[in-house]
Amino acid sequence: MPLDPGCLNGRIMKCLTFFLLLPETLKKSKKSARANGKVQACYEIVPLALKRKMAAELYPASANTNIANSNNAAAVTAKKNALQIQQSAPPPPQLQNLNNNNVESTNWQSFHPTLRERNALMFNNELMADVHFVVGPAGASKKVPAHKYILAVGSSVFYAMFYGDLAEVKSEIHIPDVEPAAFLILLKYLYSDEIDLEADTVLATLYAAKKYIVPALAKACVNFLETSLEAKNACVLLSQSRLFEEPDLTLRCWEVIDAQAELALKSEGFCEIDLPTLEIIVTRETLNTKEDVVFEAVLNWAEAECKRQGLPVTPANKRNVLGKALYLVRIPTMTLEEFANGAAQSDILTLEETRSIFLWYTAANKPQLEFPLVKRKGLAPQRCHRFQSSAYRSNQWRYRGRCDSIQFAVDKRIFIAGLGLYGSSCGKAEYSVKIELKRQGVVLAQNLTKFVSDGSSNTFSVWFEHPVQVEQDTFYTVSAILDGNELSYFGQEGMTEVQCGKVTFQFQCSSDSTNGTGVQGGQIPELIFYA
């Protein structure tokens, strides 16, 4: 008669139950034996008839075999089945808490041995939550569960909120001035020490970290902003750094704005700043740009401000939103041509102001003006000279349209503005030159221009269109391809390390160099930079 699989499984489970209860049976038997003054052997615990019955139930076809073999077979089978059950058991439950799901497992703590792991599981989780936050403005808010104890341990503001003298008794707290995404980043840090920052939310996260006095998170936000600081966002970050009172970030913003002023003022971010920040930027003495660029940037900001205030974009309204900021632009320091083609035709100046400025340019008896008359100082460029001497010899160094190149690295962040190059050793000559700056093969800046050499051993400056930010401890490659009088001066006694002010330069040969330039000698004697 075939064996019913379902019946067999039931018998196997009975046998497993017996083996699992065997230790308890042993204990009871030993206690009983001690009470009677004797100790029974283990085999006396289960009667022989019961053993035969269990073996027959497990293996009916071999019920009459040797009882020892039956016992061994049953034990092996039970172990195999137990192993199979153990292997087929589901893995420990993973607690899904991103969408406020409850923890359903009754033994989830066992699968997460560290306190940090267990706390992290409670982040944004309804389980044991004793407070809820409604975060964000009305219509775009998000409800977030939290645990008072964890928040109070991580923030003095939350401690005062939940355990101070004026503790909040509401179970639901509204926070309309914090973005939901930033609040979740704050909470994730408080629960797990993890910091997940993104460019779109870092400013809002900094605000939340400042509001709830979590300095470590605030510092991480500032570091993130400093590393992602560029000309296109420098003005916005300057405005925010002043709001959050972060002097280090403010200083970094000024470094970028001063050195790359034209890029910063022409960026979309400049139009988003507040009026006080606009005034501070326009009064900046070290802005490294022309005044007509400053004037055009101010007009663009005024247009954006009119739109923000719901005003028609007219010259009168732009003048009104600017207020006294208009008189911070140093219009008289423009060239006459720049003024005539720009500010004079902007319609934002009155006819009397336009007339007076024209007279100031041309008349001997100059009228009084309300605008500043002194040109900005800008930034003074610094030069790193890498050769100790220069020389020329007949047929020694020639420009043949081939590439002169060198690699360099610095120990502080700087802005490369251009190169100093040697010219002709045979009298006055004009050169066409292409200069280039690369990092790991990627072109960061290049310029095709001309310069005139007077036949001396002086260096002649060639500039990139805009200064380029160069990070510390990373090698960059500068190259120059000259076309003109072949014979030129060349550098000698080159140095692998040069101290220039507070910046240390290191030089090494470049594989791009095909005209003989290297560390010890050749072309590209100077790097022109701002620091």
Side-chain angles (χ1 to χ4, degrees):
M1 178 179 178
L3 189 63
D4 183 5
C7 183
L8 177 60
N9 290 338
R11 292 169 183 169
I12 291 173
M13 293 306 297
K14 288 181 181 180
C15 187
L16 284 173
T17 302
F18 162 73
F19 279 109
L20 291 172
L21 295 176
L22 183 59
E24 293 298 323
T25 309
L26 282 169
K27 290 178 183 179
K28 293 179 181 179
S29 177
K30 286 181 180 180
K31 289 180 181 179
S32 176
R34 289 193 186 99
N36 296 329
K38 61 179 182 179
V39 178
Q40 290 179 312
C42 290
Y43 60 79
E44 292 179 346
I45 297 174
V46 183
L48 183 59
L50 180 58
K51 290 180 181 179
R52 289 198 181 109
K53 182 179 179 182
M54 291 173 60
E57 287 177 348
L58 287 170
Y59 301 98
S62 58
N64 297 323
T65 58
N66 185 278
I67 189 65
N69 292 337
S70 298
N71 287 339
N72 291 337
V76 171
T77 303
K79 289 180 179 179
K80 288 181 178 179
N81 285 311
L83 182 59
Q84 290 175 356
I85 292 171
Q86 184 178 6
Q87 290 176 343
S88 63
Q94 300 297 318
L95 306 184
Q96 302 296 322
N97 57 21
L98 295 181
N99 296 316
N100 301 339
N101 293 336
N102 288 325
V103 179
E104 296 181 357
S105 171
T106 57
N107 193 28
W108 56 269
Q109 295 91 339
S110 303
F111 302 112
H112 303 279
T114 67
L115 177 63
R116 182 177 177 274
E117 289 177 323
R118 294 192 293 274
N119 273 349
L121 288 173
M122 294 297 101
F123 162 64
N124 198 17
N125 200 314
E126 289 286 357
L127 182 67
M128 297 185 290
D130 51 2
V131 66
H132 287 78
F133 295 92
V134 179
V135 187
S141 61
K142 180 180 178 64
K143 192 173 183 179
V144 180
H147 307 78
K148 294 180 179 179
Y149 169 74
I150 293 179
L151 301 189
V153 168
S155 163
S156 59
V157 175
F158 282 127
Y159 175 82
M161 183 184 296
F162 300 131
Y163 300 103
D165 294 336
L166 301 176
E168 183 66 61
V169 295
K170 297 178 182 178
S171 60
E172 189 171 281
I173 300 172
H174 291 257
I175 308 178
D177 60 327
V178 176
E179 293 184 11
F183 191 75
L184 287 174
I185 294 172
L186 170 68
L187 259 59
K188 187 173 185 179
Y189 171 72
L190 295 179
Y191 277 79
S192 64
D193 281 341
E194 295 181 16
I195 300 177
D196 295 328
L197 297 176
E198 297 180 0
D200 294 339
T201 57
V202 64
L203 283 173
T205 304
L206 177 59
Y207 174 76
K210 288 281 188 177
K211 177 174 181 175
Y212 293 103
I213 312 181
V214 184
L217 179 59
K219 183 177 180 181
C221 292
V222 172
N223 291 339
F224 182 93
L225 291 171
E226 287 184 357
T227 57
S228 60
L229 181 61
E230 299 176 300
K232 63 183 180 182
N233 61 13
C235 295
V236 173
L237 293 183
L238 175 67
S239 176
Q240 297 298 322
S241 68
R242 294 177 59 249
L243 175 65
F244 296 134
E245 298 180 348
E246 289 290 342
D248 292 340
L249 180 58
T250 300
L251 181 61
R252 278 286 297 119
C253 290
W254 279 126
E255 290 177 1
V256 174
I257 294 170
D258 283 342
Q260 298 178 309
E262 186 171 346
L263 292 175
L265 296 179
K266 288 184 176 180
S267 68
E268 293 182 3
F270 179 79
C271 296
E272 299 173 5
I273 61 178
D274 56 286
L275 181 59
T277 303
L278 173 75
E279 293 174 348
I280 291 174
I281 292 176
V282 175
T283 57
R284 185 77 171 173
E285 188 69 28
T286 48
L287 286 182
N288 198 38
T289 190
K290 295 180 178 180
E291 202 64 29
D292 61 327
V293 174
V294 178
F295 181 80
E296 189 65 29
V298 168
L299 289 189
N300 291 337
W301 181 90
E303 180 177 340
E305 182 65 16
C306 286
K307 293 177 181 178
R308 281 192 289 268
Q309 296 186 19
L311 301 173
V313 181
T314 63
N317 284 336
K318 288 195 287 186
R319 188 179 177 104
N320 288 334
V321 297
L322 281 171
K324 66 177 183 179
L326 177 62
Y327 294 101
L328 299 176
V329 183
R330 306 184 185 192
I331 294 177
T333 66
M334 300 179 189
T335 65
L336 177 58
E337 182 180 2
E338 289 170 345
F339 173 72
N341 293 328
Q345 301 183 42
S346 66
D347 294 330
I348 199 171
L349 300 176
T350 66
L351 290 176
E352 181 61 28
E353 288 171 339
T354 304
R355 175 181 173 276
S356 297
I357 295 173
F358 269 121
L359 290 175
W360 192 89
Y361 281 116
T362 58
N365 187 17
K366 298 183 183 299
Q368 287 286 108
L369 298 178
E370 296 185 63
F371 300 93
L373 305 178
V374 180
K375 191 174 182 179
R376 300 176 196 273
K377 293 180 180 178
L379 290 178
Q382 301 182 49
R383 297 174 182 266
C384 174
H385 202 93
R386 67 188 191 93
F387 296 127
Q388 299 183 64
S389 64
S390 63
Y392 75 93
R393 300 186 185 93
S394 178
N395 297 323
Q396 178 74 26
W397 194 272
R398 291 179 178 270
Y399 291 133
R400 299 166 183 167
R402 294 188 295 194
C403 181
D404 290 289
S405 182
I406 195 72
Q407 290 192 80
F408 73 95
V410 291
D411 64 346
K412 290 180 177 61
R413 184 186 293 108
I414 64 171
F415 297 86
I416 291 291
L419 306 178
L421 303 176
Y422 288 126
S424 169
S425 61
C426 303
K428 185 176 180 179
E430 183 180 69
Y431 290 93
S432 295
V433 58
K434 179 183 178 181
I435 59 173
E436 196 171 68
L437 174 66
K438 295 192 296 186
R439 176 181 179 180
Q440 297 177 348
V442 178
V443 176
L444 303 179
Q446 61 182 12
N447 194 21
L448 183 61
T449 185
K450 295 181 178 182
F451 74 93
V452 176
S453 164
D454 61 5
S456 70
S457 61
N458 296 330
T459 59
F460 301 92
S461 300
V462 181
W463 305 87
F464 291 110
E465 185 177 0
H466 302 289
V468 183
Q469 182 169 294
V470 167
E471 300 297 334
Q472 64 186 43
D473 302 327
T474 301
F475 273 96
Y476 293 78
T477 303
V478 286
S479 304
I481 300 176
L482 288 94
D483 187 16
N485 194 324
E486 287 191 353
L487 289 175
S488 79
Y489 287 88
F490 61 92
Q492 296 184 128
E493 300 178 275
M495 297 172 283
T496 58
E497 184 172 300
V498 179
Q499 185 73 31
C500 189
K502 296 181 179 180
V503 183
T504 301
F505 287 78
Q506 289 185 337
F507 294 96
Q508 65 181 28
C509 294
S510 168
S511 59
D512 293 346
S513 190
T514 58
N515 199 40
T517 290
V519 174
Q520 298 301 319
Q523 183 56 273
I524 315 182
E526 286 181 340
L527 299 181
I528 307 172
F529 67 99
Y530 300 112

